[in-house]
Amino acid sequence: MKISSANIENHLDTIYDAIVVGGGMGGLSAAIYLARYGLKCLVIEKGKGRSIWMQDTRNVLGLDPTTPGRNIVNHGKKQALEWGADHLQAFVEQVTDEGETFAVNVKVGRNNSKYYTLRSKYLIAASGVIDVLPELEDMQNVYDYAGYTLHVCMICDGFDMWDQKAVVMVSRESQINVAFVLNWFTPYISVLTNGFTVGAEMKQKLADHGYPLYEAPIARILGENHKMSGVELKDGTIVEATTGLINMGSIYHNHYLKGIDGLAWEGENLVTNTMAQTTHERIFAVGDLKQGLNQVSVAVADGTLAATQIWRYIRRASSPRKWTDNMASVSA
């Protein structure tokens, strides 16, 4: 069922078996499995997640390579609803461990916001990350290329950069090291720092590899129809490039979990076991929030694992269904 401010008050007394925070690949995978296990689940998503930047999906088994991420998400949401999951578009502000349940505080609506508390026995954190993009005066110029020929994931899109002229955009010196991995796919790499100065040792390493370094701020990306032809810097320099990799870090959507005791973190990632279970027995983390490889195929598998482990716990704590229990309804 779709939940909104119009009907959310009808659900405030519901104790969900699981609330899934995030409606991306991992979260929707978990919701589909939870619903098919006959469990009461709710997906809460804020919208515009990382997968929406995927303009095509060239590395996932069974999908046409031209499938955009938004199509996968929309189809997954439809599946989850059809199997019986609830769905709410909202911001999760905070999660509080109440002992047997979690209180999930949400904000509904960007303007004239309303605040509610929903409850569940288990929580699946699937809210993911968002990539940091270069801050230009005209951000639409970045959006015109990001996810097309300007990439944020080398593992996903390295093949599509093969032997092309590539720019690597970074915001601090340590991020430049990605160039020495990207060279598996192409040796034609230029590094753009967008304004910061690189140390002598790194400059020498880049020079040893033959990779030009440009420290002037970026003015705009050049090209048309989402295809890059280069980057113009504010000092007037034009750097020719048909592709690019943004490696400026990520923002983790995990603030709502920071007040929970018993969670182990590795940086901003949650530590999990083989079933995507965190060090808090009733909290699971899937996709980009957990340690491991940030890939659609991995996130989908994580959702399957988390949902299945939750079902196992609930099934084992429930009374078995017996043939005689259902005879009256079968006869009717």
Side-chain angles (χ1 to χ4, degrees):
M1 174 184 293
K2 288 186 178 181
I3 300 175
S4 67
S5 56
N7 64 357
I8 191 171
E9 293 190 3
N10 297 331
H11 299 266
L12 299 182
D13 292 331
T14 300
I15 304 296
Y16 286 96
D17 291 308
I19 286 179
V20 181
V21 182
M25 309 299 183
L28 290 172
S29 171
I32 288 168
Y33 271 83
L34 287 166
R36 285 175 57 84
Y37 284 134
L39 301 178
K40 187 68 175 173
C41 72
L42 167 66
V43 178
I44 304 175
E45 67 154 321
K46 62 176 180 54
K48 297 183 179 180
R50 191 187 198 197
S51 54
I52 300 302
W53 289 106
M54 294 165 46
Q55 305 302 331
D56 47 35
T57 311
R58 302 186 182 187
N59 57 343
V60 177
L61 179 68
L63 291 179
D64 188 296
T66 62
T67 305
R70 62 183 176 275
N71 285 13
I72 304 171
V73 169
N74 290 338
H75 189 270
K77 188 185 303 181
K78 181 174 179 287
Q79 276 189 287
L81 286 166
E82 287 177 349
W83 291 121
D86 287 346
H87 180 276
L88 170 67
Q89 184 154 345
F91 298 86
V92 174
E93 302 274 282
Q94 185 178 10
V95 173
T96 304
D97 187 355
E98 298 180 317
E100 295 185 359
T101 60
F102 293 107
V104 181
N105 298 324
V106 300
K107 179 179 76 171
V108 180
R110 290 182 180 272
N111 301 313
N112 300 316
S113 304
K114 295 183 179 180
Y115 297 83
Y116 303 94
T117 300
L118 299 154
R119 286 180 166 80
S120 69
K121 300 172 186 174
Y122 292 87
L123 186 84
I124 298 179
S127 42
V129 304
I130 194 72
D131 299 282
V132 176
L133 302 178
E135 299 246 350
L136 306 188
E137 292 176 7
D138 178 13
M139 285 304 296
Q140 185 58 50
N141 175 245
V142 180
Y143 303 147
D144 286 342
Y145 297 94
Y148 293 95
T149 50
L150 184 57
H151 306 285
V152 294
C153 177
M154 178 174 54
I155 292 172
C156 306
D157 302 318
F159 178 87
D160 300 303
M161 305 173 75
W162 205 282
D163 282 345
Q164 293 189 55
K165 286 186 177 179
V167 290
V168 172
M169 300 180 181
V170 297
S171 58
R172 59 179 183 270
E173 186 168 313
S174 62
Q175 296 167 343
I176 295 175
N177 286 304
V178 75
F180 309 116
V181 183
L182 181 63
N183 63 17
W184 173 266
F185 300 101
T186 179
Y188 312 117
I189 298 169
S190 298
V191 174
L192 312 183
T193 71
N194 198 26
F196 76 83
T197 302
V198 175
E201 184 177 347
M202 179 60 77
K203 282 183 177 178
Q204 186 59 54
K205 187 175 181 180
L206 288 169
D208 291 343
H209 284 74
Y211 303 156
L213 171 67
Y214 300 90
E215 297 173 315
I218 297 169
R220 63 192 179 107
I221 300 164
L222 304 174
E224 59 183 10
N225 298 323
H226 309 301
K227 294 183 178 181
M228 291 179 61
S229 62
V231 178
E232 180 181 348
L233 306 182
K234 287 191 175 181
D235 65 2
T237 302
I238 303 293
V239 182
E240 291 185 7
T242 55
T243 189
L245 177 67
I246 300 171
N247 190 46
M248 294 183 166
S250 303
I251 298 170
Y252 285 74
H253 298 304
N254 58 15
H255 63 281
Y256 57 92
L257 293 172
K258 291 300 178 106
I260 300 285
D261 293 331
L263 287 174
W265 299 82
E266 182 74 28
E268 292 296 310
N269 292 110
L270 284 157
V271 176
T272 59
N273 65 14
T274 56
M275 295 302 288
Q277 186 176 23
T278 70
T279 48
H280 187 300
E281 188 179 42
R282 292 181 292 114
I283 297 178
F284 292 74
V286 306
D288 298 345
L289 281 192
K290 60 181 276 291
Q291 293 174 303
L293 200 59
N294 295 358
Q295 293 289 291
V296 168
S297 53
V298 175
V300 170
D302 288 341
T304 304
L305 293 168
T308 299
Q309 187 59 54
I310 290 170
W311 168 66
R312 287 173 176 170
Y313 284 143
I314 292 175
R315 175 179 60 82
R316 291 166 184 168
S318 301
S319 300
R321 299 175 67 190
K322 300 179 180 179
W323 180 303
T324 54
D325 293 341
N326 297 311
M327 287 304 294
S329 60
V330 171
S331 299

